Amino acid sequence: MQLDLAFPRARNTDPASSHEAANRQRRGRANTDAMIVLACVKTMPGATSAELAMFYGLDRHMVARRLPDMEECGLVRRGEIRKCKAHGTNAVTWCSI
């Protein structure tokens, strides 16, 4: 499955070849990360991004970045806000669609 994840890939002043290389590299990694996070959400619905990261040993920031991307693609949705077991702060939960 290929996601259409939008994010800056190269500086505006970079040559076209840099933009092409950045697109290939980052899009592939972002899609791989998104598929990993989606599998985690499917197995642990109703978890926060920090809980998913902690439970599966993933980088919290990577998980937190991929979830909104996947929400835009219609793969996950935001759930209720509750106290996160990983950080003890209020956080949004996530479920797969």
Side-chain angles (χ1 to χ4, degrees):
M1 171 185 276
Q2 194 72 352
L3 301 177
D4 186 20
L5 303 177
F7 46 82
R9 294 173 181 88
R11 293 182 299 254
N12 291 336
T13 56
D14 288 345
S17 59
S18 294
H19 287 269
E20 291 170 12
N23 284 338
R24 283 190 306 272
Q25 180 187 27
R26 289 197 184 160
R27 184 174 301 276
R29 183 65 202 181
N31 280 305
T32 301
D33 290 346
M35 292 300 99
I36 291 168
V37 174
L38 181 59
C40 296
V41 171
K42 285 183 176 184
T43 12
M44 211 171 148
T48 67
S49 61
E51 290 168 349
L52 291 167
M54 183 178 71
F55 188 81
Y56 291 103
L58 302 170
D59 177 72
R60 185 186 73 78
H61 300 288
M62 180 275 289
V63 174
R65 283 190 299 268
R66 294 292 72 89
L67 287 166
D69 291 341
M70 292 189 303
E71 182 181 33
E72 285 183 28
C73 294
L75 297 171
V76 298
R77 67 175 172 80
R78 292 173 194 254
E80 65 181 39
I81 294 175
R82 64 163 173 78
K83 186 173 258 190
C84 176
K85 295 172 186 166
H87 290 156
T89 58
N90 285 333
V92 68
T93 58
W94 295 90
C95 299
S96 62
I97 296 178

PDB file of all heavy atoms in Angstrom, residues 51-65:
ATOM      1  N   GLU A  51       1.682   5.848  24.021  1.00  0.00           N
ATOM      2  CA  GLU A  51       1.479   4.466  24.463  1.00  0.00           C
ATOM      3  C   GLU A  51       1.886   3.482  23.371  1.00  0.00           C
ATOM      4  O   GLU A  51       2.536   2.469  23.648  1.00  0.00           O
ATOM      5  CB  GLU A  51       0.020   4.244  24.848  1.00  0.00           C
ATOM      6  CG  GLU A  51      -0.379   4.963  26.112  1.00  0.00           C
ATOM      7  CD  GLU A  51      -1.874   4.996  26.361  1.00  0.00           C
ATOM      8  OE1 GLU A  51      -2.676   4.634  25.460  1.00  0.00           O
ATOM      9  OE2 GLU A  51      -2.258   5.405  27.467  1.00  0.00           O
ATOM     10  N   LEU A  52       1.512   3.786  22.136  1.00  0.00           N
ATOM     11  CA  LEU A  52       1.914   2.929  21.017  1.00  0.00           C
ATOM     12  C   LEU A  52       3.434   2.857  20.922  1.00  0.00           C
ATOM     13  O   LEU A  52       4.006   1.778  20.773  1.00  0.00           O
ATOM     14  CB  LEU A  52       1.329   3.452  19.703  1.00  0.00           C
ATOM     15  CG  LEU A  52      -0.183   3.336  19.536  1.00  0.00           C
ATOM     16  CD1 LEU A  52      -0.650   4.165  18.344  1.00  0.00           C
ATOM     17  CD2 LEU A  52      -0.599   1.893  19.379  1.00  0.00           C
ATOM     18  N   ALA A  53       4.074   4.012  20.987  1.00  0.00           N
ATOM     19  CA  ALA A  53       5.535   4.059  20.888  1.00  0.00           C
ATOM     20  C   ALA A  53       6.190   3.276  22.023  1.00  0.00           C
ATOM     21  O   ALA A  53       7.105   2.482  21.793  1.00  0.00           O
ATOM     22  CB  ALA A  53       6.011   5.510  20.897  1.00  0.00           C
ATOM     23  N   MET A  54       5.706   3.476  23.230  1.00  0.00           N
ATOM     24  CA  MET A  54       6.284   2.797  24.392  1.00  0.00           C
ATOM     25  C   MET A  54       6.075   1.280  24.294  1.00  0.00           C
ATOM     26  O   MET A  54       7.015   0.506  24.472  1.00  0.00           O
ATOM     27  CB  MET A  54       5.658   3.327  25.675  1.00  0.00           C
ATOM     28  CG  MET A  54       6.256   2.730  26.942  1.00  0.00           C
ATOM     29  SD  MET A  54       5.522   3.420  28.446  1.00  0.00           S
ATOM     30  CE  MET A  54       3.891   2.699  28.386  1.00  0.00           C
ATOM     31  N   PHE A  55       4.872   0.847  23.981  1.00  0.00           N
ATOM     32  CA  PHE A  55       4.545  -0.579  23.959  1.00  0.00           C
ATOM     33  C   PHE A  55       5.307  -1.320  22.865  1.00  0.00           C
ATOM     34  O   PHE A  55       5.763  -2.432  23.060  1.00  0.00           O
ATOM     35  CB  PHE A  55       3.034  -0.772  23.783  1.00  0.00           C
ATOM     36  CG  PHE A  55       2.592  -2.190  23.932  1.00  0.00           C
ATOM     37  CD1 PHE A  55       2.414  -2.740  25.187  1.00  0.00           C
ATOM     38  CD2 PHE A  55       2.355  -2.977  22.820  1.00  0.00           C
ATOM     39  CE1 PHE A  55       2.014  -4.058  25.335  1.00  0.00           C
ATOM     40  CE2 PHE A  55       1.953  -4.292  22.951  1.00  0.00           C
ATOM     41  CZ  PHE A  55       1.777  -4.846  24.218  1.00  0.00           C
ATOM     42  N   TYR A  56       5.447  -0.672  21.692  1.00  0.00           N
ATOM     43  CA  TYR A  56       6.088  -1.338  20.561  1.00  0.00           C
ATOM     44  C   TYR A  56       7.553  -0.954  20.378  1.00  0.00           C
ATOM     45  O   TYR A  56       8.196  -1.403  19.432  1.00  0.00           O
ATOM     46  CB  TYR A  56       5.304  -1.053  19.274  1.00  0.00           C
ATOM     47  CG  TYR A  56       3.963  -1.747  19.276  1.00  0.00           C
ATOM     48  CD1 TYR A  56       2.795  -1.036  19.525  1.00  0.00           C
ATOM     49  CD2 TYR A  56       3.865  -3.114  19.064  1.00  0.00           C
ATOM     50  CE1 TYR A  56       1.562  -1.671  19.549  1.00  0.00           C
ATOM     51  CE2 TYR A  56       2.649  -3.756  19.077  1.00  0.00           C
ATOM     52  CZ  TYR A  56       1.494  -3.033  19.329  1.00  0.00           C
ATOM     53  OH  TYR A  56       0.280  -3.672  19.357  1.00  0.00           O
ATOM     54  N   GLY A  57       8.090  -0.116  21.254  1.00  0.00           N
ATOM     55  CA  GLY A  57       9.498   0.262  21.163  1.00  0.00           C
ATOM     56  C   GLY A  57       9.814   1.142  19.968  1.00  0.00           C
ATOM     57  O   GLY A  57      10.897   1.055  19.398  1.00  0.00           O
ATOM     58  N   LEU A  58       8.871   2.004  19.600  1.00  0.00           N
ATOM     59  CA  LEU A  58       9.058   2.908  18.463  1.00  0.00           C
ATOM     60  C   LEU A  58       9.407   4.309  18.944  1.00  0.00           C
ATOM     61  O   LEU A  58       9.163   4.648  20.101  1.00  0.00           O
ATOM     62  CB  LEU A  58       7.778   2.970  17.623  1.00  0.00           C
ATOM     63  CG  LEU A  58       7.282   1.639  17.057  1.00  0.00           C
ATOM     64  CD1 LEU A  58       5.900   1.812  16.454  1.00  0.00           C
ATOM     65  CD2 LEU A  58       8.266   1.106  16.024  1.00  0.00           C
ATOM     66  N   ASP A  59       9.915   5.121  18.052  1.00  0.00           N
ATOM     67  CA  ASP A  59      10.193   6.514  18.364  1.00  0.00           C
ATOM     68  C   ASP A  59       8.870   7.270  18.479  1.00  0.00           C
ATOM     69  O   ASP A  59       8.057   7.237  17.549  1.00  0.00           O
ATOM     70  CB  ASP A  59      11.058   7.133  17.262  1.00  0.00           C
ATOM     71  CG  ASP A  59      11.309   8.603  17.500  1.00  0.00           C
ATOM     72  OD1 ASP A  59      12.080   8.929  18.420  1.00  0.00           O
ATOM     73  OD2 ASP A  59      10.711   9.419  16.768  1.00  0.00           O
ATOM     74  N   ARG A  60       8.639   7.923  19.602  1.00  0.00           N
ATOM     75  CA  ARG A  60       7.368   8.599  19.852  1.00  0.00           C
ATOM     76  C   ARG A  60       7.082   9.670  18.807  1.00  0.00           C
ATOM     77  O   ARG A  60       5.955   9.843  18.361  1.00  0.00           O
ATOM     78  CB  ARG A  60       7.349   9.216  21.252  1.00  0.00           C
ATOM     79  CG  ARG A  60       5.994   9.821  21.595  1.00  0.00           C
ATOM     80  CD  ARG A  60       6.018  10.562  22.904  1.00  0.00           C
ATOM     81  NE  ARG A  60       6.732  11.821  22.835  1.00  0.00           N
ATOM     82  CZ  ARG A  60       6.222  12.941  22.297  1.00  0.00           C
ATOM     83  NH1 ARG A  60       5.040  12.941  21.758  1.00  0.00           N
ATOM     84  NH2 ARG A  60       6.927  14.048  22.290  1.00  0.00           N
ATOM     85  N   HIS A  61       8.103  10.389  18.412  1.00  0.00           N
ATOM     86  CA  HIS A  61       7.909  11.466  17.439  1.00  0.00           C
ATOM     87  C   HIS A  61       7.524  10.915  16.063  1.00  0.00           C
ATOM     88  O   HIS A  61       6.689  11.492  15.363  1.00  0.00           O
ATOM     89  CB  HIS A  61       9.145  12.347  17.347  1.00  0.00           C
ATOM     90  CG  HIS A  61       9.477  12.991  18.647  1.00  0.00           C
ATOM     91  ND1 HIS A  61       8.735  14.007  19.183  1.00  0.00           N
ATOM     92  CD2 HIS A  61      10.457  12.727  19.554  1.00  0.00           C
ATOM     93  CE1 HIS A  61       9.249  14.367  20.356  1.00  0.00           C
ATOM     94  NE2 HIS A  61      10.286  13.593  20.598  1.00  0.00           N
ATOM     95  N   MET A  62       8.116   9.792  15.669  1.00  0.00           N
ATOM     96  CA  MET A  62       7.763   9.170  14.393  1.00  0.00           C
ATOM     97  C   MET A  62       6.294   8.756  14.419  1.00  0.00           C
ATOM     98  O   MET A  62       5.547   9.035  13.478  1.00  0.00           O
ATOM     99  CB  MET A  62       8.657   7.951  14.134  1.00  0.00           C
ATOM    100  CG  MET A  62       8.366   7.235  12.817  1.00  0.00           C
ATOM    101  SD  MET A  62       7.043   5.997  12.839  1.00  0.00           S
ATOM    102  CE  MET A  62       7.763   4.685  13.782  1.00  0.00           C
ATOM    103  N   VAL A  63       5.867   8.121  15.513  1.00  0.00           N
ATOM    104  CA  VAL A  63       4.476   7.685  15.631  1.00  0.00           C
ATOM    105  C   VAL A  63       3.542   8.896  15.578  1.00  0.00           C
ATOM    106  O   VAL A  63       2.545   8.900  14.845  1.00  0.00           O
ATOM    107  CB  VAL A  63       4.258   6.885  16.935  1.00  0.00           C
ATOM    108  CG1 VAL A  63       2.789   6.550  17.141  1.00  0.00           C
ATOM    109  CG2 VAL A  63       5.109   5.617  16.937  1.00  0.00           C
ATOM    110  N   ALA A  64       3.875   9.933  16.335  1.00  0.00           N
ATOM    111  CA  ALA A  64       3.032  11.132  16.397  1.00  0.00           C
ATOM    112  C   ALA A  64       2.950  11.845  15.044  1.00  0.00           C
ATOM    113  O   ALA A  64       1.940  12.459  14.726  1.00  0.00           O
ATOM    114  CB  ALA A  64       3.557  12.080  17.469  1.00  0.00           C
ATOM    115  N   ARG A  65       3.985  11.752  14.222  1.00  0.00           N
ATOM    116  CA  ARG A  65       3.959  12.381  12.894  1.00  0.00           C
ATOM    117  C   ARG A  65       3.128  11.568  11.898  1.00  0.00           C
ATOM    118  O   ARG A  65       2.426  12.119  11.064  1.00  0.00           O
ATOM    119  CB  ARG A  65       5.381  12.536  12.340  1.00  0.00           C
ATOM    120  CG  ARG A  65       6.154  13.674  12.945  1.00  0.00           C
ATOM    121  CD  ARG A  65       7.447  13.921  12.186  1.00  0.00           C
ATOM    122  NE  ARG A  65       8.334  12.777  12.194  1.00  0.00           N
ATOM    123  CZ  ARG A  65       9.299  12.557  13.096  1.00  0.00           C
ATOM    124  NH1 ARG A  65       9.494  13.424  14.072  1.00  0.00           N
ATOM    125  NH2 ARG A  65      10.059  11.501  13.021  1.00  0.00           N
TER     126      ARG A  65
END
